[in-house]
Amino acid sequence: VVSGMAEAPAFWDLPPALSGSIAEERSSFLRVHAVPENAPSNGLHGTVLIIHGGYWKNTYGLDDEYGNAGVISLAPFFLKCGFGAIEVEYRRRDHEGGGWPGTNEDILTAMRLVGELHAAAGASAAALQDKLPAAAADARCMAALQKLRPDRLILAGHSAGGCMALWGGHRCPPNVKVAAVLALAPVADLVLGHELRVSDEGDAVELYMKCKPDDEEGRERYAQASPAALLPVTFPIVVAYGDADNHVPPELVSSYAKSASTGAPDLVREVCIPGVDHFDVVHAGSDAWKGHIVPALAALLETHLGAEVALALRQGVA
């Protein structure tokens, strides 16, 4: 599946397994974006894996009426800054096998596949083309895969996707390395999220987890899935949210960020933005993004990846 003019596709949707296919309901795939011609000649700064939110509901996803559940502007921003970009589609709670743990397994599969695709494209582009859908048998697609940076994976997730980005950082497959996590208004504490009844119906966490944390078995399941239960972090994170968010309560995010910072102060940057709502933090044209989130991410990556990466991000909002 491609988008854009036939002679210059903007992205390719790839199945979640080499030699596999995308399910008819399109519940799980990787959207690999074409690398711009002006990308850094000495290699991309990293690969950003973008994980949308939507309270794990089937209503929200890539190509929905809400702009990829709100994150549609992120891939173009990171591409402009010299990063690779991949958007992840995953099984949501009403798909077969969706919800915990299947949804999270899809995130790990996507992370692992970044490494596998990069290795396969580098070893033999022709052999890989034979395994992928016909639409991806494209020199520009192979170039995008060859330029992936499994050694510099940045997980960027929003809302429920922020929860899974943080979780993925803790459960990183061995063939990739998480360089940083950008958690945007994340549902980072599932127990507290359940207690606060996040989402419009108030049952998003319970339906995703398929249980409540009110007995020993339920508490154990939540402990395995909730980023708050997996602290301390061992990878750099930016936790950004608005204090006017009426979807994910700011106190939930703030509580997580403070606990994370206590356990690993050199790895955590908390960004609370006054007057900002749930979707401002994933709008690459917003003041929240340009004036608060990108500067915080640039500062974090300058410490951990170097000045060149930070400069590229700062120039992206200049």
Side-chain angles (χ1 to χ4, degrees):
V1 179
V2 296
S3 174
M5 298 292 288
E7 65 272 22
F11 58 73
W12 301 264
D13 289 348
L14 305 184
L18 295 180
S19 302
S21 59
I22 298 175
E24 185 176 351
E25 70 270 22
R26 292 178 56 78
S27 57
S28 178
F29 58 87
L30 269 65
R31 177 161 292 172
V32 178
H33 286 262
V35 175
E37 293 181 1
N38 62 350
S41 58
N42 60 341
L44 297 176
H45 299 306
T47 294
V48 182
L49 206 63
I50 299 166
I51 308 171
H52 70 76
Y55 286 128
W56 305 280
K57 294 181 180 181
N58 289 39
T59 306
Y60 304 103
L62 300 186
D63 301 323
D64 66 13
E65 63 182 292
Y66 309 100
N68 296 0
V71 301
I72 197 168
S73 67
L74 299 191
F77 172 81
F78 284 110
L79 290 166
K80 177 181 71 173
C81 294
F83 294 79
I86 297 177
E87 294 178 271
V88 181
E89 189 58 287
Y90 52 86
R91 288 172 293 175
R92 277 132 286 154
R93 69 192 193 198
D94 293 324
H95 288 121
E96 183 177 355
W100 172 262
T103 293
N104 294 61
E105 290 169 357
D106 286 356
I107 302 304
L108 294 187
T109 294
M111 295 170 67
R112 190 180 303 114
L113 195 55
V114 170
E116 293 175 356
L117 287 167
H118 174 71
S124 173
L128 179 58
Q129 284 173 318
D130 290 340
K131 296 179 180 180
L132 295 178
D138 180 309
R140 292 175 70 241
C141 180
M142 290 303 110
L145 297 179
Q146 289 167 345
K147 292 177 181 179
L148 292 173
R149 293 293 305 269
D151 60 321
R152 278 192 181 185
L153 200 59
I154 298 169
L155 306 179
H158 177 232
S159 196
C163 171
M164 293 186 292
L166 291 165
W167 183 89
H170 287 283
R171 298 290 185 254
C172 183
N175 67 332
V176 297
K177 178 178 174 57
V178 173
V181 172
L182 175 59
L184 302 158
V187 187
D189 185 331
L190 292 176
V191 173
L192 185 56
H194 175 265
E195 292 173 355
L196 295 175
R197 297 187 59 78
V198 296
S199 82
D200 41 4
E201 294 92 359
D203 57 2
V205 175
E206 177 183 343
L207 292 178
Y208 157 61
M209 290 300 300
K210 306 172 189 172
C211 67
K212 300 177 181 180
D214 56 2
D215 58 26
E216 185 175 352
E217 182 179 355
R219 287 189 290 271
E220 175 57 30
R221 288 172 68 91
Y222 276 64
Q224 294 175 27
S226 179
L230 301 176
L231 293 173
V233 294
T234 56
F235 44 88
I237 67 173
V238 171
V239 181
Y241 60 101
D243 69 359
D245 192 325
N246 61 359
H247 291 269
V248 177
E251 60 265 34
L252 185 158
V253 186
S254 175
S255 173
Y256 168 81
K258 287 176 171 52
S259 294
S261 183
T262 298
D266 294 336
L267 295 176
V268 180
R269 289 180 183 262
E270 178 185 0
V271 184
C272 179
I273 310 165
V276 162
D277 69 17
H278 191 61
F279 291 100
D280 282 338
V281 297
V282 285
H283 185 345
S286 71
D287 291 339
W289 180 263
K290 294 187 291 185
H292 297 269
I293 295 169
V294 171
L297 182 61
L300 183 78
L301 295 185
E302 184 165 20
T303 299
H304 297 278
L305 296 182
E308 183 180 1
V309 177
L311 178 61
L313 285 169
R314 292 174 179 133
Q315 289 178 334
V317 295

